[in-house]
Amino acid sequence: MTRNGQEYLEALQDGRTVWLGRERVDDVTTHPAFAQAARSFARLYDLTNDPEHRDDLTVSSPSGRTLRAYDVPKSYDDLVAKREAHRVWAADSFGFLGRSPDYMAAGAAGFLARPQVFTTDTYDGADNVRALHQRWSRDSIFPAFTITNPASDRSKTLGEQEVPDLFLSVDQERDDGIVVSGSKMIGTAAVFADEIMVGTIEPLGPDDQDFAFSFALSPSTPGVSLISRMSYEAQAASGKDYPLSSRFDENDALLVCESVFVPWERVLTYRNVESTFGMWWQTPAYTYMAHQASTRFWTKMEFLAGVAVLVTRANGSAENPAVRSEVGRLLGYVQMAKSMVLASEAALDAQPEDGGAVRPDAAITYAQRILAGEIYPKFVHQIKMFSGGSLTQVPASWHDLHDATVGPLLKTYARSVTQDTEDRVALMKLAWDAVGSEFASRHAHYEQFYQGAPHVYLTQMAFAGGADECADLAGRALSEAAGIDSPKT
Ligand SMILES: Cc1cc2nc3c(=O)[nH]c(=O)nc-3n(C[C@H](O)[C@H](O)[C@H](O)COP(=O)(O)OP(=O)(O)OC[C@H]3O[C@@H](n4cnc5c(N)ncnc54)[C@H](O)[C@@H]3O)c2cc1C
């Protein structure tokens, strides 16, 4: 048995410092801004003990049964099994819990596959990586991560910035560990996590050793604060009015460290620019995390396509040829999202340095980010187009439907020809929460940025996308053209 949802929720009651505005949140499992999302994460843990899903979601390890996400895949079949586990969890939140525990757990499996990246001239974190994976997998830990530096002057390296205290850096090096201060963003789901991986995934300047380190931290460590953004869950008037915001607001928080002590055994890289960057890109960590992300994305696209189909059926427009072809376009995108996952597995990469582990194909994985960033806004736009004014012509509250005065009016006038009022309002409220609400807007932003800004991943594609192979093929056509004896002179 892996831990269940109740055990997960109890572990969150550890005195962590979470701020929502000026309020210090005592307990995220009961606070109205967080409680339902905490329950949604807890449900994922309950699924791991559900006989229907247990074998998909968990795997036996030397320390007992653990989340399959922690497994280091050794074959195509292992990759497929991991994807199926990601699918079960993604489907539970319709793809809206982007940072379910399997995201960073998959990253930890990537670290373990290539621990030698953590052994450098300045520091040897390889054993700490092994211990981290063992601890996290033994306890089915929910890890979040903050590996982005706060907004800075992007034309300068971190060391050149004029406000160095903004960025997480080491105050003191002690025999037993380091003391750090500064901030990192954006801790998606960090307030719900057991531990936070802190590091830097973006390239650091060659002289940025002072900022080049990574470690795992419990949110309850003295000196750690998580400052939450606005809560969409708290704003959700009811589950019926906001069926997604009310349950799947995974939260984003700024990590602030004030003289936080981190013991050496939690430190993975130290004062080394190459290993701090390479832990994400040389190990399979990034591709494993992207495997979860692209599986979740595919699931979310299925959900949004489903909303689109239901809206067109409800409006009686489903058979209209123009509408039908736009639905066809969305369903085509769903298949593209699916194909990226399946293709990355089929074209798997087995690098000798990965010690027998396999990883999804990197170029296809990187390309998925481009597809995701481009098609997500199209789904949002198309659902709005299919819905028309009905998307906003809904009563202020679901409860109004049962009001003695306004209820009968709504029952008569807020229905459509094809649907009674309750069904119509329920569908339009779901659609609005998926594409129009503040929660929806955050999701559109998330799908665009959570795997890096476009200028980063597009540039990366220019290096990893097979430019030489493409140019060689075009070059052969040029050579052949040069040799063609054209009948027309
Ligand atoms: C909802 C959400 C959740 C997130 N969750 C997490 C998380 O859990 N953990 C985590 O670590 N991070 C997380 N992130 C952070 C995310 O990884 C970063 O936002 C992303 O990598 C972009 O970095 P940035 O925000 O610093 O943008 P910047 O690098 O500052 O870029 C912002 C914009 O500036 C322009 N720009 C900047 N530099 C250049 C350049 N060299 N060339 C061209 N244009 C440029 C581009 O228009 C770019 O889009 C999350 C982000 C979002 C939006």
Side-chain angles (χ1 to χ4, degrees):
M1 294 274 280
T2 45
R3 73 172 171 174
N4 63 29
Q6 185 55 35
E7 289 164 332
Y8 157 70
L9 290 173
E10 283 164 12
L12 289 182
Q13 296 165 321
D14 58 3
R16 60 190 57 201
T17 303
V18 174
W19 290 98
L20 180 64
R22 280 161 289 166
E23 180 188 356
R24 165 114 193 240
V25 175
D26 278 342
D27 180 354
V28 291
T29 70
T30 54
H31 191 281
F34 305 95
Q36 294 309 321
R39 256 158 205 68
S40 295
F41 284 120
R43 214 166 66 175
L44 301 182
Y45 279 103
D46 283 337
L47 284 178
T48 64
N49 292 311
D50 178 338
E52 191 187 340
H53 298 296
R54 190 175 47 214
D55 291 343
D56 286 337
L57 288 171
T58 66
V59 65
S60 60
S61 74
S63 45
R65 258 196 120 66
T66 185
L67 303 179
R68 188 178 289 278
Y70 280 113
D71 190 38
V72 179
K74 298 283 173 53
S75 66
Y76 170 75
D77 287 345
D78 288 349
L79 274 180
V80 171
K82 288 195 80 165
R83 178 239 297 165
E84 282 169 356
H86 295 319
R87 271 284 268 178
V88 172
W89 269 9
D92 203 60
S93 69
F94 313 101
F96 283 92
L97 288 181
R99 293 293 162 73
S100 44
D102 51 342
Y103 192 110
M104 187 61 231
F111 299 157
L112 185 68
R114 200 155 168 169
Q116 61 273 29
V117 169
F118 297 83
T119 300
T120 67
D121 294 345
T122 54
Y123 185 74
D124 190 352
D127 283 343
N128 292 349
V129 161
R130 294 186 189 95
L132 172 115
H133 182 275
Q134 194 182 21
R135 186 177 78 252
W136 281 8
S137 60
R138 180 195 63 211
D139 298 337
S140 294
I141 285 291
F142 179 169
F145 59 95
T146 54
I147 52 177
T148 308
N149 290 304
S152 63
D153 180 343
R154 295 301 190 219
S155 66
K156 295 178 176 160
T157 64
L158 286 190
E160 291 167 350
Q161 307 285 332
E162 276 156 25
V163 280
D165 56 341
L166 181 62
F167 309 105
L168 196 72
S169 59
V170 177
D171 300 335
Q172 197 190 349
E173 195 177 303
R174 298 184 356 195
D175 288 345
D176 52 351
I178 51 176
V179 177
V180 298
S181 293
S183 66
K184 286 275 178 185
M185 67 179 206
I186 297 175
T188 299
V191 302
F192 301 114
D194 298 304
E195 292 196 25
I196 304 171
M197 171 57 60
V198 182
T200 299
I201 196 170
E202 52 207 46
L204 289 163
D207 298 325
D208 274 344
Q209 292 88 342
D210 290 349
F211 306 97
F213 52 86
S214 56
F215 55 82
L217 187 73
S218 161
S220 61
T221 309
V224 171
S225 303
L226 291 166
I227 304 178
S228 167
R229 61 151 162 75
M230 172 193 290
S231 163
Y232 312 132
E233 179 176 325
Q235 288 182 328
S238 76
K240 289 256 189 340
D241 287 294
Y242 290 94
L244 302 171
S245 313
S246 60
R247 291 187 295 156
F248 304 126
D249 182 10
E250 62 186 345
N251 197 268
D252 305 287
L254 178 71
L255 172 75
V256 175
C257 295
E258 294 173 291
S259 302
V260 171
F261 173 67
V262 184
W264 284 120
E265 55 271 24
R266 294 284 182 109
V267 179
L268 305 187
T269 62
Y270 190 62
R271 296 188 64 74
N272 192 291
V273 168
E274 285 77 27
S275 60
T276 300
F277 185 62
M279 64 187 277
W280 305 102
W281 301 104
Q282 284 174 29
T283 75
Y286 181 80
T287 50
Y288 291 170
M289 289 154 72
H291 191 218
Q292 184 273 3
S294 52
T295 304
R296 178 199 56 78
F297 184 78
W298 157 29
T299 311
K300 195 174 182 184
M301 293 303 94
E302 284 184 322
F303 166 78
L304 290 179
V307 171
V309 169
L310 291 180
V311 167
T312 61
R313 287 182 185 162
N315 284 351
S317 61
E319 302 306 318
N320 177 298
V323 169
R324 199 160 39 195
S325 45
E326 288 307 324
V327 168
R329 192 193 303 276
L330 297 186
L331 294 171
Y333 286 143
V334 172
Q335 293 306 314
M336 287 182 215
K338 172 182 177 180
S339 309
M340 303 298 277
V341 180
L342 271 52
S344 73
E345 295 161 357
L348 63 81
D349 185 14
Q351 300 185 8
E353 298 89 340
D354 287 349
V358 297
R359 48 171 98 184
D361 180 77
I364 297 173
T365 298
Y366 299 160
Q368 189 274 343
R369 294 182 299 187
I370 300 175
L371 180 79
E374 291 185 2
I375 68 174
Y376 197 85
K378 293 184 194 295
F379 278 73
V380 170
H381 172 75
Q382 201 54 61
I383 290 172
K384 287 181 179 172
M385 295 305 285
F386 287 153
S387 305
S390 302
L391 203 51
T392 46
Q393 194 58 87
V394 285
S397 163
W398 176 268
H399 299 296
D400 301 346
L401 302 183
H402 305 290
D403 179 78
T405 312
V406 79
L409 292 176
L410 292 170
K411 288 232 167 7
T412 306
Y413 297 113
R415 69 186 200 275
S416 77
V417 174
T418 56
Q419 278 184 310
D420 68 22
T421 303
E422 291 217 351
D423 288 348
R424 180 145 194 89
V425 171
L427 177 60
M428 287 302 153
K429 283 193 178 275
L430 177 68
W432 180 253
D433 212 9
V435 301
S437 66
E438 198 155 352
F439 170 86
S441 177
R442 181 265 179 197
H443 269 273
H445 203 56
Y446 179 83
E447 298 299 352
Q448 187 69 74
F449 275 103
Y450 78 98
Q451 298 197 84
H455 71 271
V456 174
Y457 61 69
L458 292 172
T459 308
Q460 190 178 33
M461 200 71 226
F463 290 110
D468 288 343
E469 289 85 339
C470 296
D472 285 351
L473 189 62
R476 184 159 67 77
L478 269 183
S479 313
E480 287 179 13
I484 295 171
D485 189 12
S486 170
K488 291 184 184 167
T489 54

Coordinates of all heavy atoms in Angstrom, one line a residue, residues 83 87 103 287-301 337-338 340-342 344 360 364-365 368-369 372 450-451:
R83 N 3.3 6.3 -18.9 CA 2.3 7.2 -19.5 C 0.9 6.8 -19.0 O 0.1 7.7 -18.8 CB 2.4 7.1 -21.0 CG 1.4 7.9 -21.8 CD 0.5 7.0 -22.6 NE 1.3 6.4 -23.7 CZ 0.8 5.4 -24.4 NH1 -0.4 4.9 -24.2 NH2 1.6 4.8 -25.3
R87 N -1.8 9.2 -17.2 CA -3.1 9.4 -17.8 C -4.2 9.2 -16.8 O -5.2 10.0 -16.8 CB -3.4 8.3 -18.9 CG -2.9 8.6 -20.3 CD -3.8 9.6 -21.0 NE -4.9 9.0 -21.8 CZ -5.8 9.7 -22.5 NH1 -5.8 11.0 -22.5 NH2 -6.7 9.1 -23.2
Y103 N 4.7 14.8 -11.6 CA 5.5 15.6 -12.4 C 7.0 15.6 -11.9 O 7.9 15.2 -12.6 CB 4.9 17.0 -12.4 CG 5.5 17.9 -13.5 CD1 4.7 18.3 -14.6 CD2 6.8 18.4 -13.5 CE1 5.2 19.2 -15.6 CE2 7.3 19.3 -14.4 CZ 6.5 19.6 -15.5 OH 7.0 20.4 -16.5
T287 N 13.0 15.3 -19.9 CA 12.1 14.5 -20.8 C 11.1 13.7 -20.0 O 9.9 13.5 -20.5 CB 12.9 13.6 -21.7 OG1 13.8 12.8 -20.9 CG2 13.7 14.3 -22.7
Y288 N 11.4 13.2 -18.8 CA 10.4 12.5 -18.0 C 9.3 13.4 -17.5 O 8.1 13.0 -17.5 CB 11.1 11.8 -16.8 CG 12.0 10.6 -17.2 CD1 12.8 10.1 -16.2 CD2 12.1 10.1 -18.5 CE1 13.7 9.0 -16.5 CE2 12.9 9.1 -18.8 CZ 13.7 8.5 -17.8 OH 14.6 7.5 -18.1
M289 N 9.7 14.6 -17.1 CA 8.7 15.6 -16.7 C 7.8 16.0 -17.8 O 6.6 16.1 -17.7 CB 9.4 16.8 -16.0 CG 10.0 16.5 -14.7 SD 11.4 17.6 -14.3 CE 10.6 19.1 -13.9
A290 N 8.4 16.2 -19.0 CA 7.6 16.5 -20.2 C 6.7 15.4 -20.6 O 5.7 15.6 -21.2 CB 8.6 17.0 -21.3
H291 N 7.1 14.2 -20.3 CA 6.3 13.0 -20.7 C 5.0 13.1 -19.9 O 3.9 12.9 -20.4 CB 7.1 11.7 -20.3 CG 6.5 10.5 -20.9 ND1 6.5 9.3 -20.1 CD2 5.9 10.2 -22.0 CE1 5.9 8.3 -20.8 NE2 5.5 8.8 -22.0
Q292 N 5.1 13.4 -18.6 CA 3.9 13.6 -17.8 C 3.1 14.8 -18.3 O 1.9 14.7 -18.5 CB 4.3 13.9 -16.3 CG 3.2 14.0 -15.3 CD 2.6 15.4 -15.2 OE1 3.0 16.4 -15.9 NE2 1.6 15.6 -14.4
A293 N 3.8 15.9 -18.6 CA 3.1 17.1 -19.0 C 2.4 16.9 -20.4 O 1.3 17.4 -20.5 CB 4.1 18.3 -19.1
S294 N 3.0 16.2 -21.3 CA 2.4 16.1 -22.6 C 1.2 15.1 -22.5 O 0.3 15.2 -23.3 CB 3.4 15.7 -23.7 OG 4.2 14.6 -23.3
T295 N 1.3 14.1 -21.6 CA 0.2 13.2 -21.4 C -1.0 13.9 -20.8 O -2.1 13.8 -21.2 CB 0.6 12.0 -20.5 OG1 1.8 11.4 -21.1 CG2 -0.5 11.0 -20.3
R296 N -0.7 14.8 -19.8 CA -1.7 15.6 -19.2 C -2.3 16.5 -20.2 O -3.6 16.7 -20.3 CB -1.1 16.4 -18.0 CG -2.2 17.3 -17.3 CD -1.5 18.4 -16.5 NE -0.5 19.2 -17.3 CZ -0.9 20.2 -18.1 NH1 -2.2 20.5 -18.3 NH2 0.0 20.8 -18.8
F297 N -1.5 17.1 -21.0 CA -2.0 18.1 -22.0 C -2.9 17.4 -23.0 O -4.0 17.9 -23.3 CB -0.8 18.7 -22.8 CG -1.2 19.7 -23.8 CD1 -1.5 21.0 -23.3 CD2 -1.3 19.5 -25.1 CE1 -2.0 22.0 -24.2 CE2 -1.7 20.4 -26.0 CZ -2.0 21.7 -25.6
W298 N -2.5 16.2 -23.5 CA -3.4 15.5 -24.4 C -4.8 15.2 -23.7 O -5.8 15.4 -24.3 CB -2.7 14.2 -24.7 CG -3.5 13.0 -25.2 CD1 -4.7 13.0 -25.8 CD2 -3.1 11.6 -25.0 NE1 -5.1 11.7 -26.1 CE2 -4.1 10.8 -25.6 CE3 -2.0 11.0 -24.4 CZ2 -4.1 9.4 -25.6 CZ3 -2.0 9.6 -24.5 CH2 -3.0 8.8 -25.1
T299 N -4.7 14.9 -22.4 CA -6.0 14.6 -21.7 C -6.8 15.9 -21.6 O -8.1 15.8 -21.8 CB -5.6 14.1 -20.3 OG1 -4.7 13.0 -20.4 CG2 -6.9 13.6 -19.5
K300 N -6.2 17.0 -21.3 CA -6.9 18.3 -21.2 C -7.5 18.7 -22.5 O -8.6 19.2 -22.6 CB -5.9 19.3 -20.7 CG -6.5 20.6 -20.2 CD -5.4 21.4 -19.6 CE -5.9 22.7 -19.0 NZ -4.7 23.5 -18.6
M301 N -6.8 18.4 -23.6 CA -7.3 18.7 -25.0 C -8.5 17.8 -25.2 O -9.5 18.3 -25.9 CB -6.2 18.5 -26.0 CG -5.1 19.4 -26.0 SD -5.5 21.1 -26.1 CE -5.7 21.6 -24.4
A337 N -1.9 16.0 -30.3 CA -1.3 16.0 -28.9 C -1.0 14.6 -28.5 O 0.0 14.3 -27.8 CB -2.4 16.7 -28.0
K338 N -1.9 13.7 -28.8 CA -1.7 12.3 -28.5 C -0.5 11.7 -29.2 O 0.4 11.0 -28.6 CB -2.9 11.5 -28.9 CG -2.8 10.0 -28.8 CD -4.1 9.3 -29.3 CE -4.0 7.8 -29.2 NZ -5.3 7.1 -29.7
M340 N 2.2 13.2 -30.2 CA 3.4 13.6 -29.7 C 3.9 12.7 -28.5 O 5.1 12.4 -28.4 CB 3.3 15.1 -29.2 CG 2.9 16.1 -30.2 SD 3.9 16.3 -31.6 CE 5.2 17.4 -31.0
V341 N 3.0 12.3 -27.7 CA 3.3 11.4 -26.6 C 3.8 10.1 -27.1 O 4.8 9.5 -26.8 CB 2.1 11.2 -25.6 CG1 2.5 10.3 -24.5 CG2 1.6 12.6 -25.1
L342 N 2.9 9.5 -28.0 CA 3.2 8.1 -28.5 C 4.5 8.1 -29.3 O 5.3 7.2 -29.2 CB 2.0 7.6 -29.3 CG 0.9 6.9 -28.5 CD1 0.4 7.6 -27.3 CD2 -0.2 6.5 -29.4
S344 N 7.1 10.2 -29.0 CA 8.3 10.3 -28.2 C 8.6 9.0 -27.5 O 9.8 8.8 -27.3 CB 8.0 11.4 -27.2 OG 7.2 11.0 -26.1
P360 N 12.1 9.4 -23.4 CA 11.4 9.8 -24.6 C 12.3 10.6 -25.5 O 13.2 11.3 -25.0 CB 10.2 10.6 -24.1 CG 10.1 10.2 -22.6 CD 11.5 9.9 -22.2
I364 N 11.2 15.4 -30.1 CA 9.7 15.3 -30.2 C 9.2 16.0 -28.9 O 8.2 16.7 -28.9 CB 9.2 13.9 -30.4 CG1 9.7 13.3 -31.7 CG2 7.7 13.8 -30.3 CD1 9.5 11.9 -32.0
T365 N 9.8 15.7 -27.8 CA 9.4 16.3 -26.5 C 9.4 17.8 -26.6 O 8.5 18.5 -26.1 CB 10.3 15.7 -25.4 OG1 10.2 14.3 -25.3 CG2 10.0 16.3 -24.1
Q368 N 6.7 19.2 -28.7 CA 5.3 19.2 -28.1 C 5.0 20.6 -27.4 O 3.9 21.0 -27.4 CB 5.3 18.1 -27.0 CG 3.9 17.8 -26.5 CD 3.6 18.7 -25.3 OE1 4.4 19.3 -24.7 NE2 2.3 18.7 -25.0
R369 N 6.1 21.2 -26.9 CA 5.8 22.5 -26.2 C 5.3 23.6 -27.2 O 4.5 24.4 -26.9 CB 7.1 23.0 -25.6 CG 7.6 22.2 -24.4 CD 8.8 22.8 -23.8 NE 9.9 22.8 -24.7 CZ 11.1 23.2 -24.4 NH1 11.4 23.5 -23.2 NH2 12.1 23.2 -25.3
A372 N 1.7 22.7 -28.0 CA 0.8 23.0 -26.9 C 0.6 24.5 -26.8 O -0.6 25.0 -26.7 CB 1.4 22.5 -25.6
Y450 N 4.7 27.3 -18.6 CA 5.2 26.5 -17.5 C 6.4 25.7 -18.0 O 7.2 25.3 -17.1 CB 4.1 25.6 -16.9 CG 3.8 24.4 -17.8 CD1 4.4 23.2 -17.5 CD2 3.0 24.5 -18.9 CE1 4.2 22.1 -18.2 CE2 2.7 23.4 -19.6 CZ 3.3 22.2 -19.3 OH 3.1 21.1 -20.1
Q451 N 6.6 25.5 -19.2 CA 7.8 24.8 -19.7 C 8.8 25.7 -20.3 O 9.7 25.3 -21.0 CB 7.4 23.7 -20.7 CG 6.4 22.7 -20.2 CD 6.4 21.4 -21.1 OE1 7.2 20.5 -21.0 NE2 5.5 21.4 -22.0

